[in-house]
Amino acid sequence: MIAANNPALKSWIKVAADSDFPIQNIPFGIIKTGRTQPRVATIIGDTIIDLAALAELGYFDDLQIDNSVFYLPYLNEFMALGKATTRAVRDRISHIFQHDNAELRDNEEHKSQVLVNPIYAQNLMPVEVRDYTDFYSSREHATNVGTMFRDPNNALLPNWLHLPVGYHGRASSIVVSGTPVRRPKGQKKPGDDGKPGFGPSRLLDFELEMGFVVGQSTQLGQSVSTAEAEDYIFGLVLFNDWSARDIQAWEYVPLGPFLGKSFASSISPWVVTLDALDHFRISGPEQNDPPILPYLEYEGKKRFDINLEALIQPEGGKPHTVCKSNFKYMYWNMTQQLAHHTINGCNLNVGDMCASGTISGETPDSYGSMLELSWRGSKPLAMPDGSERKFINDGDTVIMRGFGEKDGLRIGFGEVTGKVLPAT
Amino acid sequence: MIAANNPALKSWIKVAADSDFPIQNIPFGIIKTGRTQPRVATIIGDTIIDLAALAELGYFDDLQIDNSVFYLPYLNEFMALGKATTRAVRDRISHIFQHDNAELRDNEEHKSQVLVNPIYAQNLMPVEVRDYTDFYSSREHATNVGTMFRDPNNALLPNWLHLPVGYHGRASSIVVSGTPVRRPKGQKKPGDDGKPGFGPSRLLDFELEMGFVVGQSTQLGQSVSTAEAEDYIFGLVLFNDWSARDIQAWEYVPLGPFLGKSFASSISPWVVTLDALDHFRISGPEQNDPPILPYLEYEGKKRFDINLEALIQPEGGKPHTVCKSNFKYMYWNMTQQLAHHTINGCNLNVGDMCASGTISGETPDSYGSMLELSWRGSKPLAMPDGSERKFINDGDTVIMRGFGEKDGLRIGFGEVTGKVLPAT
C-alpha cells in the first residue's frame, strides 16, 4: 500500500467526516490569492496548502526538486517530473500533515505562509490542456442514445463492443469549475421550409463524465499497452461535457461533434491522483461476447467505484439532484482507452485530457444527461420549485460531485459547477 | 499595396526564376543549425536568413521588439506580437534585402552571421499547434466521397451546402516536412467471420490540403465575423492529412475520424503570410442555391489561386506527379470557416491550425487523395517504374508542392514530404 493512502492516518488539520479531502487524498491544483501569482496547491479538509510556500521553506528539500515547478500557472511541469517524484511529494505532504508531526504544526510563522483559507484563494485551471479526447465508453449511455436515435433492437453500432469509440474534442474551451457558460448560438436542422434554423441553442445539456490527465509523454510511433497505461495517468477530475443537442444533431454527419460541444467543457479544480483512488478499484465487466482483441485485454481491477451526482440549481433556488450515477458504469476502462488511443502510434503529451463519455447507469435516475433523463424531452423532470426541465435553462447552475467511500474512508473530487448565461 | 509585395523588387540574394521564395514572399519558420538553438528564420531564394542574428545585430531596433521572440523554438510568441508588428518585420526584411540596399549587403561580417546555407540548417516545426481543426470544404471532394460511399444522386449530405463541416483533429501528431511516417496499426471492419481485423493499415492515403495558422487569440464567448477573420489568420502551409482508410471506415461512426488520422499529419516548414498571398486572390463560388445564413456571408476576394501538386516517389525512384489541384477549389473559404468555428463562442489560441480538407478539382487527375484518384482502388495508377498504386506503399515518399503565379511573380510554399516506414 502507498503510505499516504493508509486509512488510519489523521491530520492535524481539521477534516469533517464528509469531506472529500482527507489526508489520504492530497489532490493537486493551481490557486491564486490576492497577493500571489498562480502556484501549485493541495487541500486537506477545508484548508488549502500552498506548495510553493512549503517548497520555499525547505520542506521538500530532500526530494531534490527544482522549486520553480511550484510557481507555475499549470501542473504540467510538475506532472512531467514523473510519478516517482510526484508520488514522493504526495507522501511527503502526507507526512508533514499527520497529526503527530510537529514540524509544521507547531511553527506558526510557517503555517501563516503555507495554509490558505479558501475564501482568499481562487482555483484556476489545473492543467494546460494539450489534446483533448472524449470517449463514449458507458454501454448504458450508448444504448440509450442508439435506442432514441436509431434502432432499439440494434442500439449499439457494430464497432461499439470491439473498440472504445472516441473522438477529438476542443481543448481551448475547457474551463475550470465556476466559470460561467454562455449558451451557444448556431445552426439547427431545417424545418418544413427547408431552411436551417439559427439562434441560441434550445437543447442545452450537460454530460456527466470523468476525465483523466496524462502525466507522461510518448514518442510518435509508440504504443502504450494496457499494462503500462496507468503509468501515464496522473489523475482524474469531474468533467461536464456541455452539449447543444440541436446544434450537434445538424452538424455531426459525417465527421462527428464540433460546435455542439466546443463552446465549453467544465472540470473540477483538484486533480485527484490515480494513487489516491486505489481503495476504490473494482473488477470490470465480462468482455467475451464478442471477445475483444488482445491489445485491449488487461489484468487486474481497472474500474473505480466512484459515486457521481448531477444537480441543477435554478437561479435563486436550491440545488436539486437530477442524476445519481457511478464511474463503474464503464464498459471500457481507462487503460483500454489509452491502449486504443495509441495503438496507431499517436503520441501523448503531458496535459492531454481524456474524458469518459457520459456515464449512465442502469436505471432511469442514473442517466448522465438531460437527453436521457427526459428521454429527448418527452419526460420532463419536476423541479422542487414547481418548474420542469427537459434541458438546461438560462440561469441554471449545473453541479457535479463525485466521491469514493469504502471502509470508512472517503476520497472525493469536490465539485464542478457552471452557471448558464443567456446567449448574447 | 503592402510595400514588401511590390512585384518589381529584386534582392541582392540570388533568386532562381522558379523559386518559391522571392523577396516578395518572406515566410517565417524555425531552424536549427549545428551551432545554434532553434530560432526564427526566413528564406530568400535558397538562402536562409537567421532573424535572431539580424535582431541581435540591431536591424530591427526601430521596431521596438523584444529580441527574445526570435530565440524561441516556435513562432507562437512572434505571431502573438500582432499583425502590425509582424508585418513591420516583413517590410523591414524586404527593405534590408533589396538589391540597392547596402547596409547588410556590403557588411561581410554581419552576412556571415545572418545568412545560412540550407545544407547546414534543419527546419523544425514552425508552430506549437494548440487545437487543430480539419474542415471538409472542397465540394468536389465531398461529392466524390459521397458518390463512392453513399448515393451518387445525393452525394452531399443535407448540411454540407449550409455550413463548413469540420471536426477536431489531433494536434500532437502534426509533424514538419521530412519526418518519416510510420504505417499505423489498428482495427478494421470484420470480414465474413464477423471478427474485426487487426494489423497494419492496407489503405494508407494522403490528403492534399492547405492549413492556416491562427495568429491572434479570442476570448471564450467571442465570435469572429467573416470581415474580421483575416486579422486572425497569420499564414498558410501545405498540409498532408495522412489517412488510414480501413481504420477510419470501421471506427468513424458515430463520432468521426480518430485513429485513422491521428498517427500523423505533415506540414511544410515555412509559414507563408496571408499578406504574401495577396496577389492571388480570386472571387468565390456562388452560394445562393441554397442561400447561406448571414453570418457566413462575406465581401471581397477570399479564395486563393494556388497551384497544388501531389507526387509519389517510390523507394529509389523518381517523384511522379499523381495529382494537380488548386486551392481555389474551396466552396467555403477561410473566413467562412473561422466565422463558423467561432459562432458558438469557441475561443481561438495563437497556434491553432485549421486545415481545408482534401482539395479536389473537377477532373479525375485533380483529385486530392488516392481514394479518389484510384476510385477506391478500382482504377490503380500506373507509375513510371511499371508498378501500380491504389494507395501508398511502404518506402514511398509523398511530396506536395504549392505556389501562386501571376504577372511574372511566383510565391510558393516549398514542399511537404513524408516517407512511409513499414509498421512495427
Side-chain angles (χ1 to χ4, degrees):
Chain A
M1 188 171 69
I2 299 159
N5 287 0
N6 180 358
L9 295 182
K10 298 282 177 197
S11 176
W12 50 263
I13 293 181
K14 196 175 126 190
V15 178
D18 64 348
S19 172
D20 282 350
F21 305 113
I23 192 170
Q24 292 82 2
N25 191 338
I26 311 180
F28 294 99
I30 300 289
I31 60 155
K32 188 178 170 347
T33 66
R35 52 181 188 149
T36 62
Q37 289 302 303
R39 54 192 50 210
V40 177
T42 186
I43 184 169
I44 295 179
D46 290 329
T47 302
I48 289 175
I49 295 154
D50 180 336
L51 298 185
L54 263 188
E56 201 64 35
L57 292 167
Y59 285 86
F60 298 145
D61 278 1
D62 52 331
L63 302 180
Q64 302 188 314
I65 302 169
D66 179 346
N67 286 349
S68 66
V69 298
F70 295 108
Y71 285 101
L72 295 172
Y74 297 109
L75 291 174
N76 297 46
E77 295 296 317
F78 175 69
M79 297 189 293
L81 295 173
K83 276 218 182 183
T85 301
T86 58
R87 193 172 274 157
V89 170
R90 182 165 168 267
D91 280 345
R92 180 79 185 109
I93 295 168
S94 166
H95 183 68
I96 294 167
F97 290 92
Q98 280 170 40
H99 74 285
D100 55 357
N101 185 341
E103 61 180 315
L104 177 63
R105 184 192 65 194
D106 297 348
N107 188 328
E108 294 301 324
E109 192 194 324
H110 282 192
K111 278 202 290 186
S112 73
Q113 293 176 62
V114 168
L115 306 185
V116 180
N117 186 325
I119 64 171
Y120 300 121
Q122 180 189 359
N123 273 104
L124 305 181
M125 266 295 284
V127 173
E128 184 174 45
V129 180
R130 296 295 300 268
D131 275 292
Y132 155 48
T133 298
D134 194 25
F135 286 95
Y136 185 56
S137 289
S138 153
R139 182 169 186 163
E140 291 75 10
H141 170 67
T143 302
N144 285 339
V145 172
T147 299
M148 269 185 254
F149 292 100
R150 285 183 297 269
D151 175 3
N153 297 315
N154 286 291
L156 294 179
L157 284 166
N159 57 13
W160 201 92
L161 291 168
H162 293 285
L163 56 85
V165 170
Y167 66 102
H168 308 293
R170 182 78 188 179
S172 72
S173 53
I174 300 179
V175 296
V176 73
S177 177
T179 308
V181 171
R182 182 72 62 183
R183 181 179 295 271
K185 291 181 291 196
Q187 285 197 36
K188 305 155 197 181
K189 269 192 181 162
D192 293 339
D193 63 358
K195 294 178 186 169
F198 180 81
S201 168
R202 290 182 185 173
L203 309 179
L204 183 60
D205 202 353
F206 63 79
E207 291 195 336
L208 176 60
E209 307 195 6
M210 298 211 68
F212 69 82
V213 179
V214 171
Q216 196 177 333
S217 298
T218 65
Q219 294 295 312
L220 192 62
Q222 184 184 343
S223 298
V224 172
S225 69
T226 57
E228 298 162 331
E230 291 193 345
D231 295 339
Y232 292 84
I233 300 172
F234 178 78
L236 282 78
V237 291
L238 301 170
F239 196 102
N240 182 353
D241 178 25
W242 298 94
S243 300
R245 301 298 178 193
D246 40 1
I247 295 172
Q248 188 181 345
W250 172 230
E251 72 175 0
Y252 92 108
V253 284
L255 299 177
F258 185 46
L259 301 186
K261 301 274 192 179
S262 65
F263 57 96
S265 313
S266 303
I267 65 170
S268 53
W270 296 108
V271 182
V272 176
T273 64
L274 195 61
D275 286 346
L277 299 172
D278 219 36
H279 294 288
F280 310 104
R281 291 178 179 273
I282 56 172
S283 301
E286 296 283 333
Q287 293 183 320
N288 49 24
D289 183 26
I292 57 175
L293 281 161
Y295 80 95
L296 292 170
E297 290 172 359
Y298 65 95
E299 292 189 357
K301 296 180 175 178
K302 300 297 182 190
R303 284 207 292 193
F304 293 83
D305 183 358
I306 296 171
N307 304 292
L308 299 171
E309 185 181 20
L311 307 93
I312 297 176
Q313 178 175 20
E315 184 94 60
K318 287 189 166 23
H320 173 66
T321 299
V322 294
C323 153
K324 289 199 173 210
S325 185
N326 193 301
F327 191 38
K328 71 185 178 188
Y329 296 117
M330 300 282 285
Y331 188 79
W332 299 105
N333 65 51
M334 295 181 284
T335 73
Q336 294 177 306
Q337 291 169 343
L338 219 41
H340 183 64
H341 203 318
T342 59
I343 189 64
N344 69 342
C346 178
N347 55 326
L348 303 175
N349 277 314
V350 173
D352 285 349
M353 175 81 71
C354 293
S356 57
T358 308
I359 305 164
S360 295
E362 294 158 355
T363 56
D365 59 353
S366 69
Y367 295 166
S369 66
M370 292 301 288
L371 176 72
E372 295 161 87
L373 290 165
S374 77
W375 208 254
R376 288 181 92 170
S378 66
K379 298 177 184 173
L381 270 64
M383 297 288 289
D385 63 5
S387 65
E388 288 187 337
R389 288 292 181 286
K390 298 175 179 175
F391 290 91
I392 305 300
N393 290 358
D394 288 346
D396 285 352
T397 298
V398 175
I399 303 164
M400 295 175 178
R401 297 175 182 151
F403 64 93
E405 193 157 34
K406 190 181 169 190
D407 303 333
L409 180 67
R410 172 180 167 131
I411 302 275
F413 290 80
E415 56 184 31
V416 53
T417 74
K419 181 177 179 174
V420 173
L421 305 182
T424 46
Chain B
M1 187 171 67
I2 300 159
N5 287 1
N6 180 356
L9 295 182
K10 298 282 176 198
S11 175
W12 50 262
I13 293 180
K14 196 176 128 188
V15 178
D18 64 347
S19 172
D20 282 349
F21 304 114
I23 192 170
Q24 292 82 0
N25 191 338
I26 312 181
F28 294 99
I30 300 289
I31 60 155
K32 191 181 169 341
T33 66
R35 53 183 186 147
T36 62
Q37 290 302 302
R39 54 192 52 210
V40 177
T42 187
I43 184 169
I44 295 179
D46 290 329
T47 302
I48 289 174
I49 295 154
D50 180 337
L51 297 186
L54 263 188
E56 201 65 36
L57 292 167
Y59 285 86
F60 299 146
D61 278 1
D62 52 331
L63 303 179
Q64 301 188 316
I65 302 169
D66 180 344
N67 286 348
S68 66
V69 299
F70 296 107
Y71 287 100
L72 295 172
Y74 297 108
L75 291 175
N76 297 47
E77 295 297 317
F78 175 69
M79 296 189 293
L81 295 174
K83 275 216 183 184
T85 301
T86 58
R87 192 171 274 157
V89 170
R90 184 166 167 268
D91 279 345
R92 179 80 184 107
I93 295 168
S94 167
H95 182 69
I96 295 167
F97 289 92
Q98 281 169 40
H99 74 286
D100 54 358
N101 185 341
E103 62 179 315
L104 178 63
R105 185 191 66 196
D106 296 348
N107 188 328
E108 293 302 324
E109 193 193 323
H110 282 190
K111 280 202 289 187
S112 73
Q113 294 175 61
V114 168
L115 306 185
V116 180
N117 186 325
I119 64 171
Y120 300 120
Q122 181 189 358
N123 273 104
L124 304 181
M125 266 295 285
V127 172
E128 183 175 44
V129 180
R130 296 296 299 269
D131 275 291
Y132 156 47
T133 298
D134 194 24
F135 285 95
Y136 184 56
S137 289
S138 153
R139 183 170 187 163
E140 291 76 9
H141 170 65
T143 302
N144 285 339
V145 172
T147 299
M148 269 185 255
F149 292 101
R150 287 184 296 270
D151 175 2
N153 298 315
N154 286 291
L156 294 179
L157 284 165
N159 57 12
W160 202 93
L161 291 168
H162 293 285
L163 56 85
V165 171
Y167 66 103
H168 308 293
R170 182 79 187 177
S172 73
S173 53
I174 300 179
V175 296
V176 73
S177 177
T179 308
V181 171
R182 182 72 62 184
R183 181 178 296 270
K185 291 182 291 196
Q187 285 198 35
K188 306 155 197 180
K189 269 192 180 159
D192 294 338
D193 63 357
K195 295 177 186 167
F198 180 82
S201 169
R202 290 182 185 173
L203 308 180
L204 183 60
D205 203 353
F206 64 80
E207 291 194 337
L208 176 60
E209 307 194 7
M210 299 211 67
F212 69 83
V213 178
V214 171
Q216 196 177 333
S217 298
T218 65
Q219 294 296 312
L220 192 61
Q222 184 184 344
S223 298
V224 173
S225 68
T226 57
E228 297 163 331
E230 290 193 345
D231 294 340
Y232 292 82
I233 300 172
F234 178 78
L236 282 78
V237 292
L238 300 169
F239 197 101
N240 182 353
D241 179 24
W242 297 93
S243 300
R245 302 296 179 193
D246 39 1
I247 295 172
Q248 187 181 345
W250 173 230
E251 72 174 0
Y252 92 108
V253 284
L255 299 177
F258 185 47
L259 302 186
K261 301 274 192 178
S262 65
F263 57 96
S265 313
S266 304
I267 64 170
S268 53
W270 297 107
V271 182
V272 176
T273 64
L274 196 60
D275 286 346
L277 298 172
D278 219 37
H279 293 289
F280 310 104
R281 291 178 179 273
I282 56 173
S283 301
E286 296 283 334
Q287 294 183 321
N288 49 22
D289 183 25
I292 57 175
L293 280 162
Y295 79 96
L296 292 170
E297 291 172 358
Y298 65 95
E299 292 188 359
K301 295 180 175 179
K302 301 297 182 191
R303 286 207 292 194
F304 292 83
D305 183 359
I306 297 171
N307 304 292
L308 299 171
E309 184 182 21
L311 307 92
I312 297 175
Q313 178 175 21
E315 184 93 59
K318 287 188 166 28
H320 172 66
T321 299
V322 293
C323 152
K324 289 198 173 209
S325 185
N326 193 301
F327 190 38
K328 70 184 177 188
Y329 296 117
M330 300 282 284
Y331 187 79
W332 299 104
N333 65 52
M334 295 181 285
T335 73
Q336 294 177 306
Q337 291 169 343
L338 218 41
H340 183 64
H341 204 317
T342 59
I343 190 64
N344 70 342
C346 177
N347 55 326
L348 304 175
N349 278 312
V350 173
D352 285 348
M353 175 82 71
C354 293
S356 57
T358 308
I359 305 164
S360 294
E362 294 159 355
T363 57
D365 59 352
S366 68
Y367 296 166
S369 66
M370 292 301 287
L371 177 71
E372 296 161 87
L373 290 164
S374 77
W375 208 253
R376 288 182 90 172
S378 66
K379 298 176 184 174
L381 270 63
M383 297 288 289
D385 63 4
S387 65
E388 289 187 335
R389 288 293 182 285
K390 298 175 180 175
F391 290 91
I392 306 300
N393 289 359
D394 287 346
D396 284 352
T397 298
V398 174
I399 303 162
M400 296 175 179
R401 297 175 184 152
F403 64 93
E405 194 157 32
K406 189 181 169 190
D407 303 332
L409 179 67
R410 172 180 167 132
I411 302 276
F413 290 80
E415 56 184 31
V416 53
T417 75
K419 180 176 178 174
V420 174
L421 306 181
T424 47

